[in-house]
Amino acid sequence: MTTCNEPDRLLALRKLNLLDTAPTEAFDRITRMAARVFGLPIAAVSLTDSDRQWFKSRVGVVHTSIPRIKAPCATVSGSGDMLVVNDLQEDPFFRDSPLAHSGVRFYAGAPLITSDGFNLGAMCVLGLEPRSISSTERDALTDLAAMVMSQIELQHTLGRVDPLSGMPNRKQFIEDYADLQMDRPHGEPRVAVLVNMANQEQLNNAARVMGASYFDDLMNEAIVSYRAVMGSEHKVYQLAATQFITIAPPGTDDGAGEGSYRARLAHWLDSRGAWSTSRFVTTPAIGIAPFLLGRTDCLDVLRIAQNAMQDAHQTGQLIGSYSSAQDDAYRRRFTLLNAFDAALADTSQLRLVYQPRIDLTSGRCIGAEALLRWRHPELGDVPPGEFMPVVEQTSMVRAATSWVIREAVRQLAAWHAAGLQLQMSVNVSAANLLEADFVSTVTALLNQHRMAPGWLELEVTESAIMENQGTALATLAALDQAGVRLAIDDFGTGYSSLSYLQSMPAHVVKIDQSFVRNMAGGERNRTLVNTMISLSHELGFRVVAEGIETDDVRQLLRDQGCDEGQGYLFARPLAPDDLFAWCARAEASEAAPRKPWAPICAALPSLAPHTAA
Ligand code: C2E
Ligand code: MG
Ligand code: MG
């Protein structure tokens, strides 16, 4: 059966991506064979485009195309039947065709019909003398046309199926999705379901132990049982070694009620003991992505389904759903990453601010913590609490910390040269402790600025150390050896194992602000902080309290023996010149009778809170 709708026919032809492609031996071989079988000088694989016959392959023809008007091949693709014209010049229709005028007398063409019934053009042979055709030759021409079609369909299919499983792949999903969109251009609600049969670690382990082909069987079983349980109308596409995607039938909603599609999915996964012969334990996860067919871009569907599946893996659930809030967060993170990469190249977007660290007994500023600030030209100020955790997941963290330490040590040296003898604290990330040249870079920098290592303190969180204990501890020990001071930042929020605290080559414990802030709230919180202070002292650490916002809390901490404090009560993080001025004014008012810390704030009412934060 052939399909006559010309727009559809043209669409089918275009989708094969054959027009205006380079000649290939696979087609030329068939064309040469056709010329030889008929003993004729001209043969061609001729495709009927909107206004031309374009030759995918040709023998004895100079042109790559001829006008479609009055071309016999166009008649073949129009009718879907073989056409034989013994003498074009005697034929009432073709007599005045360009082909007849060029001296061609004989034409025989067999239609090129796709499995969907579209006539693409003709496999044709042409002669310069009138001629007839035997029934054997008719059969041969039909066979040659069939060979051309096999070649076309083979080429088209290649790259659209997974070579191992034979399943349609991602490329095919994208093409089929485009077709579906064309049928429903006005936004039909549908649900995509992405199934991942194992997480990355399991994939690696199983491949090592069982061989890579292990997952082919697992996937086959999963797909067969999925269609058996969820419905055979599901067309399943393999996206990766352990992942497949399908679009649930129209009318499916992503709700969680009893008997819902989601409940059936959960049941299918729960029952995998019954359909899986796998001896390897894997943790499957499913991502559900509702979308509007005709409105949502295919790549967006793939992306949100992937994200939902990743969420399920990460949260230890079987099924994760796309949520637009989550998706906005992913997009924002993605934007931040790209933008931060650019900021590292053009560091004018980056600057450091410095928050004073106060000795709680004397009330004097004895140090400052360098805190990174990023002002993006369009996004505006992005807080480090938002971008650092994202940057820390990438190799950019190396360049980021390197820039911060360089800038902070340069500032430290400048202050010292100007007579302001502060200690500088810099935050470093877990990944920095794994850099082979981290210690040598830091010490070289200090040498370059002629600063004794003890003026620099590096702050590391407990979790950063625990992430890669061996190497991290070795780096800390080397820094300690070099004379650099070390502080455990955000103490109390991480693992807080006492045994590790004992073995830590650090000098300072910074109690996290969440504990400090709550101190005024009750006896329990005060006792908790008190315990942290005594314990840290017993282990030989100096103790700093972060986030002191009120005088009551400052007083409590001082009474409990806390050594130093940092917080908005004293000052917000300041631009370097402001910090210098702040310290100078504080020193100037030292002579006046005061509470230990009072002159600092009393002298500087405008600096609390300060704008530089
Ligand atoms: P952190 O190292 O614990 O720094 C203290 C944070 O608490 C700073 O926030 C500071 O502005 C804020 N803070 C200080 N006193 C108070 C107070 O009294 N009340 C309140 N509510 N907050 C106070 P910031 O600058 O936004 O930095 C947040 C976090 O970002 C830092 O926490 C640190 O973990 C990270 N960070 C900042 N700069 C860098 C950097 O250069 N490198 C790395 N790796 N991380 C950085
Ligand atoms: Mg810190
Ligand atoms: Mg902290």
Side-chain angles (χ1 to χ4, degrees), residues 201-345:
E201 200 187 345
Q202 292 164 342
L203 173 65
N204 295 342
N205 289 343
R208 237 176 274 138
V209 178
M210 324 278 277
S213 65
Y214 163 76
F215 279 106
D216 301 341
D217 298 337
L218 180 71
M219 284 294 277
N220 281 340
E221 285 173 352
I223 290 168
V224 168
S225 72
Y226 189 93
R227 298 182 73 226
V229 173
M230 303 303 294
S232 57
E233 69 277 23
H234 286 85
K235 185 160 183 186
V236 172
Y237 303 81
Q238 186 154 2
L239 294 182
T242 59
Q243 292 179 22
F244 68 84
I245 192 166
T246 183
I247 295 180
T252 304
D253 87 46
D254 60 323
E258 208 177 311
S260 65
Y261 195 81
R262 177 189 272 266
R264 283 166 54 212
L265 278 174
H267 169 72
W268 169 70
L269 271 188
D270 281 344
S271 63
R272 68 183 176 283
W275 50 260
S276 171
T277 55
S278 167
R279 274 168 291 139
F280 215 89
V281 178
T282 64
T283 333
I286 296 181
I288 296 189
F291 65 95
L292 284 180
L293 192 58
R295 298 275 166 78
T296 319
D297 184 75
C298 180
L299 295 182
D300 271 334
V301 172
L302 285 167
R303 186 177 55 78
I304 60 182
Q306 282 282 358
N307 284 344
M309 182 275 287
Q310 297 281 4
D311 279 350
H313 266 312
Q314 272 159 19
T315 54
Q317 292 169 307
L318 280 182
I319 302 178
S321 271
Y322 161 81
S323 91
S324 60
Q326 253 313 346
D327 198 45
D328 288 347
Y330 284 126
R331 277 173 202 269
R332 165 99 179 159
R333 264 189 257 167
F334 183 72
T335 311
L336 288 183
L337 270 189
N338 288 328
F340 193 77
D341 202 20
L344 283 173

Side-chain angles (χ1 to χ4, degrees), residues 57-108:
S57 169
R58 61 196 202 278
V59 169
V61 193
V62 180
H63 304 291
T64 52
S65 66
I66 58 168
R68 181 172 168 174
I69 276 187
K70 290 231 163 175
C73 290
T75 307
V76 175
S77 62
S79 66
D81 297 324
M82 183 182 287
L83 172 71
V84 179
V85 185
N86 288 350
D87 189 350
L88 289 171
Q89 289 181 10
E90 292 296 315
D91 187 274
F93 182 72
F94 291 112
R95 171 170 19 200
D96 58 351
S97 67
L99 208 57
H101 286 157
S102 70
V104 173
R105 302 291 292 267
F106 169 75
Y107 174 90

Side-chain angles (χ1 to χ4, degrees), residues 466-530:
M466 300 311 277
E467 250 173 56
N468 214 313
Q469 258 188 72
T471 319
L473 285 174
T475 303
L476 292 180
L479 285 166
D480 178 36
Q481 196 78 40
V484 174
R485 287 176 67 84
L486 300 166
I488 301 168
D489 201 357
D490 303 343
F491 182 72
T493 57
Y495 294 84
S496 304
S497 137
L498 294 180
S499 61
Y500 101 86
L501 196 57
Q502 206 172 12
S503 62
M504 191 75 75
H507 313 89
V508 171
V509 159
K510 294 186 81 177
I511 299 178
D512 189 69
Q513 44 184 288
S514 54
F515 302 99
V516 176
R517 207 177 303 131
N518 291 334
M519 276 179 84
E523 191 54 41
R524 259 179 86 95
N525 295 328
R526 283 195 284 278
T527 312
L528 188 62
V529 173
N530 199 9

Side-chain angles (χ1 to χ4, degrees), residues 369 371 427 459 489-490 510 546:
E369 177 175 4
L371 294 159
N427 294 283
E459 297 188 6
D489 201 357
D490 303 343
K510 294 186 81 177
E546 297 188 285

